[in-house]
Every structure is written in structure tokens, then in C-alpha cells.
Amino acid sequence: MQTKPNLGFWQIWNMCFGFFGIQFGFALQNGNVSRIFQTLGADMEQIPILWIAAPLTGLLVQPIIGHFSDKTWTKLGRRRPFFLYGALATTAALVIMPNSPTLWIAAGMLWILDAAINVTMEPFRAFVGDNLNKQQRPTGFAMQSFFIGVGAVVASALPWIMTNWFGVANTAAEGMIPDSVVYSFYAGGVVLFLAVGWTIISSKEYSPEQLAAFDAAEQAEHPCAPMATPAQDYWRSGAAAVVIGVAAFAAVAFWQLDKQLYLLGALIAAFGLLQWAASWFKQQQNRNMLVQLTDDLFTMPKTMRQLAVVQFFSWFPLFAMWIYTTAAVTSYHYGTTDTTSVAYNNGADWVGVLFAVYNGFAAIAALLIPLLVKATSTQKAHCINLLFGALGLFSFFLIKDPALLWLPMIAIGIAWASILSLPYALLSNCLPAHKMGVYMGMFNIFIVLPQLLAAAILGSLVGYLFQGQAIYALAIGGVSYVIAALYVLRIKTETVKG
């Protein structure tokens, strides 16, 4: 028996290159969807709930795709079929999204776009675990972070480039999406498909038999603790979730809280109902996908549970930034909320450039973070990087000149690069090889939950506590980064055998 051989630089480059295209789609979505919603008539209070499509589709799609990709083997391989089909769907969605005639069609297209991106993206994380040995996995995830940063630099700045380099109009009649945004989405669709296609044709995958042999060799070399035995049923925990969900509904109705908060109660109650369904199927000796996913969720490794807290408080500020940076900068720094004004659209274009800046510095930071890890530890390095992110978000209050807002984006870029690599480096070595896909997909739950919470409560917090001033959403995100930075120091690593 022997462990997986080391791959060369260009082999790792090729297998990660598809992330360059994937990030094109994400960056265009993150930098422009709020702008599209506002252009089509959305009020500021509506934007968080309209954004709910992105995290909710990720919550549903990624664990399912991970489950199926673990069990898939075709002539194209194990993960690559999902790369292909997801890329085709994402390209189509990017073409359709900026042509949405109404707000609700745009909201629906966001569901489709995000689902398609997730179909492509989720297997890429497991792809690194499949193809690289434990020593090279941190390098693989850092390479993915590099491509995420580089891809997002260009994609985030595309509307600004279209206007300032090619003379494409960045304003339009009321209710119409500017051509600079429309053409940027078209270009993004082409780049995404070509980049993912390159990874498909230039990379190979080990067969299931080879992966099993490699896993046996790794386990023989590094003995592992067994995973927990799944509970016999989930009636009790399911009942608790249903009660909490119903109580949340009643509280919102009794105190006449923001209706968006109904979403939290619905999600908690739905989680309880799913547990009841899984318990019933288990009693019928039917180990279907729902039962398997529920068992996997409740028996996840301890390191993954600890990382869940860090991910929650790391992604809440990111979602706040993606939703509110355009509104914060145009109102706080440019002094306007009129989406038809030149000032607003110049500010919105500048936000695209700022997003390009933080992604650009993330690409650089991705190359330097391994050095920081060697000098300290993975946990301490991640703590330092998250504190940089907090400093960046707090700085939006202090800097009045919008031309200087690129400075805090350097700090945010450092945090972003760390979030995209170090948690996965900590996680990958504690996962059994035959469940790499499902657990990587399930890890997305702890990215999605803070985004759902942000979508449910940020509108209320900004509207009721801060009189609709979007800049305060960024400050709340800074506090969340500090909490994540402190908690990551509590994590202890482990290796688990399935």
C-alpha cells in the first residue's frame, strides 16, 4: 500500500483553474445583484430577504451534490460531471439574469444562478481531497483561494471597465439595467464555462478502487479514532426544533416584529420535520439519502463542529458586506440614494472596483498565508487574518473620502483569503475519504446559516436601530469578525476514520 503521490505545480494549477471561472459568476452576483434589485424597484428593507435565495439554495444543493458526487463514477469521472453540468447551467443563468424585466423575475433568477454555481463549486472542494495527499492539501486550497481572488478582481471591476475603457453606458432609463452590467454578465458566462472546461479536460481523477487503496494506506500510517455511532432516531431532537420554530413564529406575531423573522422560525421547524422524517424512514429500514445525510450531520467530527462556530461568525460579515456595501458607499460617501443619478451609479461602479481590490489582495495573501501558518499555527494565523477583516469593516466609518476606501479592502482581502483556505485545511484531514464530498457540502451549512440570519435580521436592525443607514451593517460585521477570531483559538485538530 502507498499514499497518494505528490502532484506537480501545473497539475495542481490545472485542477484548481476552474475556480477562476466560478468566482467570475460569484463576483458578478455579489457586486451587482443588489444594484439590479434596486434598479428594478426594491426598497432597502426588501434587499436582504430578496438575497435569501443565495444561501438557501446553497443550504439545499451542496450537501445533496456532495452526497451524489461521492457515489458517482462515469467515463468522465467522479466530480467532473458535476463541473460540466453546473457550468452549462450557470452560463445560461448569467446571460438571463441582467435581462430580468421585473424585480420578482430577477429574484427567481438569483435562485437559479446560485443553485447552478453551487452544483459546479461544491465538488471542487472534494476534488482537492480526492487528488492530493494530506501534505499537499493546504497548497491545493491555497491555490483555489488564489484563483478565487484573481477571478474576482476582473469580474468585480467589469462594469467599471466596460464604462471607463470601452465607453459602455453605466446609466439607463428608470427600471432598466445599464448596458455595462448586462455585457459584464455575458462576458462572465463565457469565462466561467471556458475555465471550468479547462479543468475538466486537463485533470484526471483516481478510480474508486485507487481511492480506497490510498485511504487504507493513510489510515495504516496514521491510525484514526472511529466516528460516532448515529442515534437510533431523531424524534426528540426533531420535537425540540419544531417547538422552537413554532415559538419563534408566535413571538414574531405577538410582538409584531419584522415579517422577515418568520423565516428563522420556518427554517428551525423545517429542520425538526426533516429529523422526524429521517427517524420514520430508519424505523422502516429504509436508508435513503435523507437518513444518510441526517446521520452524517449528527456524527460529524469534533473539529468540524468547532469550525462551524468560526464559519458562522466569519461569513455573517461577508454577507453583510455583499448586501450593504453599495448602499453604504453611495449614501454615506456619495450622499445619494437615487438609483438614476450619476452619483449613485458612479458610487456603485466604485464598489465594484473596491470588491476587485479586496479580491486582488486576497490572491496575494493566499500565497503568503502558508508562511504565516509555518511561523505560528493554522489557528493563530486564521485569528490574525480575521482581525484584519474586522479592522477593514470598521474603517468604513473613519474614512470619508471614497477614493481612499481601497485601503480597508486590503485588510478585508487578507481575511477573505484566510476564510477560503485555512478552515478547509483544518477540516480536510479529519474527514474519511469516502465521505469527503458530503462533508465538504455539509460544511456549507455553517456558511449558509449566518447568511440566512443576516437576510432575516439585518433589514430590521438597520431599519429600526440605525434609521436605515446601511453603513452600520458593516460595523456589525466587524464585531462578528472579532468573535470568530477569538473562537478559532479554541479549535483542536483531530483525524477521524469513517
Side-chain angles (χ1 to χ4, degrees):
M1 295 188 297
Q2 56 180 316
T3 58
K4 296 172 190 171
N6 286 336
L7 298 187
F9 174 83
W10 292 111
Q11 289 174 299
I12 299 175
W13 174 283
N14 289 337
M15 64 181 284
C16 295
F17 187 74
F19 247 106
F20 175 78
I22 292 171
Q23 193 56 34
F24 247 76
F26 266 126
L28 287 169
Q29 172 182 294
N30 294 338
N32 296 280
V33 166
S34 288
R35 179 180 185 177
I36 291 172
F37 286 161
Q38 284 187 282
T39 299
L40 294 175
D43 296 329
M44 183 52 58
E45 291 76 15
Q46 292 179 293
I47 288 181
I49 201 65
L50 290 171
W51 264 92
I52 203 66
L56 192 56
T57 51
L59 177 67
L60 298 173
V61 170
Q62 288 216 25
I64 294 173
I65 294 299
H67 173 83
F68 281 119
S69 70
D70 279 343
K71 301 177 181 299
T72 294
W73 186 257
T74 69
K75 292 182 179 180
L76 194 56
R78 187 185 196 187
R79 315 292 182 186
R80 288 180 296 170
F82 296 91
F83 299 166
L84 176 61
Y85 301 140
L88 287 169
T90 304
T91 298
L94 284 170
V95 172
I96 298 171
M97 178 74 185
N99 293 294
S100 301
T102 65
L103 176 60
W104 294 109
I105 290 179
M109 283 308 306
L110 179 58
W111 284 82
I112 297 172
L113 174 59
D114 203 79
I117 293 176
N118 275 292
V119 170
T120 306
M121 184 187 71
E122 193 285 325
F124 262 97
R125 298 293 190 190
F127 200 43
V128 170
D130 290 345
N131 284 9
L132 298 180
N133 57 42
K134 293 183 177 182
Q135 291 71 36
Q136 286 197 310
R137 283 172 187 166
T139 302
F141 290 120
M143 184 71 77
Q144 286 188 349
S145 296
F146 170 77
F147 280 122
I148 288 171
V150 173
V153 167
V154 182
S156 297
L158 265 183
W160 185 90
I161 291 172
M162 290 286 182
T163 298
N164 291 274
W165 292 6
F166 301 106
V168 179
N170 72 339
T171 59
E174 185 174 358
M176 299 295 294
I177 310 300
D179 284 344
S180 59
V181 175
V182 175
Y183 295 156
S184 295
F185 272 67
Y186 292 168
V190 173
V191 171
L192 183 144
F193 185 77
L194 292 177
V196 174
W198 177 256
T199 289
I200 292 172
I201 64 174
S202 65
S203 299
K204 69 175 185 178
E205 296 185 71
Y206 293 115
S207 69
E209 294 76 20
Q210 289 174 306
L211 286 173
F214 286 139
D215 188 41
E218 286 185 353
Q219 300 298 347
E221 185 177 354
H222 303 287
C224 307
M227 295 181 67
T229 302
Q232 290 301 309
D233 60 59
Y234 301 104
W235 286 107
R236 182 176 299 177
S237 58
V242 170
V243 169
I244 293 172
V246 172
F249 254 83
V252 174
F254 182 80
W255 282 292
Q256 296 183 336
L257 302 176
D258 194 311
K259 291 182 179 180
Q260 295 179 17
L261 296 175
Y262 280 122
L263 175 65
L264 290 179
L267 289 172
I268 295 171
F271 180 55
L273 294 175
L274 286 175
Q275 291 180 68
W276 282 350
S279 181
W280 185 84
F281 282 122
K282 289 184 73 170
Q283 292 178 359
Q284 305 302 313
Q285 304 298 314
N286 182 356
R287 285 196 55 80
N288 56 27
M289 182 182 66
L290 175 61
V291 172
Q292 293 176 54
L293 288 175
T294 306
D295 283 348
D296 290 339
L297 178 64
F298 278 84
T299 58
M300 70 177 69
K302 181 180 178 181
T303 297
M304 187 171 173
R305 294 176 184 272
Q306 294 173 318
L307 282 168
V309 178
V310 178
Q311 290 293 83
F312 183 93
F313 287 104
S314 299
W315 282 85
F316 185 93
L318 287 169
F319 202 63
M321 183 181 71
W322 292 334
I323 293 175
Y324 281 103
T325 300
T326 296
V329 170
T330 53
S331 60
Y332 188 78
H333 298 92
Y334 283 81
T336 183
T337 58
D338 180 5
T339 60
T340 64
S341 68
V342 173
Y344 175 90
N345 284 283
N346 285 340
D349 284 350
W350 183 233
V351 169
V353 176
L354 295 177
F355 279 20
V357 170
Y358 90 75
N359 280 289
F361 276 96
I364 298 172
L367 302 177
L368 301 177
I369 284 175
L371 301 178
L372 180 60
V373 171
K374 288 182 180 180
T376 57
S377 69
T378 305
Q379 291 90 329
K380 290 179 181 178
H382 198 40
C383 174
I384 293 169
N385 296 333
L386 291 173
L387 290 176
F388 271 113
L391 176 63
L393 289 181
F394 289 143
S395 296
F396 272 80
F397 267 104
L398 305 176
I399 297 175
K400 304 296 183 182
D401 184 356
L404 298 178
L405 290 178
W406 62 273
L407 291 171
M409 286 302 184
I410 297 174
I412 292 171
I414 294 171
W416 178 230
S418 191
I419 290 167
L420 291 174
S421 57
L422 295 189
Y424 293 96
L426 286 167
L427 178 66
S428 60
N429 289 342
C430 79
L431 298 181
H434 66 285
K435 291 188 176 181
M436 186 72 67
V438 69
Y439 273 128
M440 284 292 182
M442 204 167 282
F443 197 49
N444 185 61
I445 293 173
F446 309 114
I447 295 173
V448 168
L449 289 179
Q451 296 180 53
L452 293 172
L453 182 65
I457 71 171
L458 272 178
S460 299
L461 291 176
V462 172
Y464 297 146
L465 299 182
F466 305 114
Q467 293 74 51
Q469 298 180 62
I471 192 72
Y472 285 96
L474 303 185
I476 295 171
V479 173
S480 185
Y481 268 141
V482 172
I483 296 172
L486 296 177
Y487 193 86
V488 74
L489 297 177
R490 296 169 52 90
I491 292 179
K492 299 190 183 302
T493 55
E494 64 173 339
T495 310
V496 178
K497 181 178 180 180

